[in-house]
Amino acid sequence: MIKKAERKDEEKALSLFKALWQDADERELKDSFLHSLTGENLITYLASVQGQTAGIAQCSLRRDYVEGTYTSPVGYLEGVFVLPEYRNRGLAKELVKACEQWAKEKGCKEFASDCELSNEESRRFHMATGFDEANRIICFVKKI
């Protein structure tokens, strides 16, 4: 079952976000979750199996340029994660569908996402759920 996250889901959602974004600041994860409860520009969905929270997805509306897109806003899959014991049941695909539907309802004509170049599992997942690769980039930074 897929449902929009509610305030009462905060603890479960934060646990899954921490598993997905292991290096993220806990306060930022909490702020992001709380912001997503309004559903205006960010939303969080949860997947459950027999009453157990099994996965999470978060998507946003991006109005800045999104690689490979031609419209604005663009629905953007910020992250999707399913606990290992619940994988290969179609939950992540259903979470993405819920995000896509939300983006359509917000007037989006395109839906986008990204993954690290080295994350082959995520790349395969994206391709299997209907995404087309738009570009590959290498990002640079230096201290000044």
Side-chain angles (χ1 to χ4, degrees):
M1 180 178 92
I2 306 300
K3 71 167 194 141
K4 182 180 183 275
E6 301 174 35
R7 177 65 187 215
K8 67 181 181 175
D9 301 313
E10 181 178 339
E11 188 176 319
K12 294 173 191 171
L14 291 178
S15 174
L16 292 167
F17 279 154
K18 287 180 208 172
L20 174 61
W21 293 305
Q22 297 172 7
D23 296 329
D25 177 74
E26 191 169 334
R27 181 74 220 164
E28 288 177 12
L29 293 176
K30 183 174 182 174
D31 289 347
S32 176
F33 174 74
L34 294 175
H35 178 69
S36 77
L37 296 178
T38 67
E40 291 180 33
N41 293 304
L42 184 69
I43 195 160
T44 300
Y45 286 99
L46 295 172
S48 63
V49 174
Q50 297 177 340
Q52 297 298 312
T53 303
I56 195 164
Q58 190 173 70
C59 64
S60 68
L61 299 181
R62 291 195 178 183
R63 290 179 169 78
D64 53 339
Y65 175 70
V66 174
E67 194 73 36
T69 65
Y70 301 96
T71 61
S72 180
V74 172
Y76 203 87
L77 180 64
E78 299 294 343
V80 59
F81 178 80
V82 174
L83 291 168
E85 60 268 31
Y86 295 104
R87 291 182 183 166
N88 300 310
R89 299 181 187 194
L91 293 175
K93 186 175 184 177
E94 292 303 313
L95 285 163
V96 171
K97 281 184 183 178
C99 289
E100 289 174 356
Q101 184 59 42
W102 174 81
K104 281 182 188 178
E105 291 169 5
K106 294 291 186 174
C108 296
K109 304 288 185 229
E110 296 176 285
F111 193 71
S113 185
D114 64 56
C115 72
E116 294 290 328
L117 196 56
S118 62
N119 192 339
E120 184 59 25
E121 181 181 5
S122 181
R123 188 195 70 77
R124 282 192 311 270
F125 168 77
H126 281 83
M127 300 302 283
T129 55
F131 285 95
D132 292 319
E133 188 174 311
N135 197 7
R136 289 181 180 231
I137 62 171
I138 298 173
C139 300
F140 298 94
V141 65
K142 66 178 174 179
K143 300 211 183 294
I144 56 172

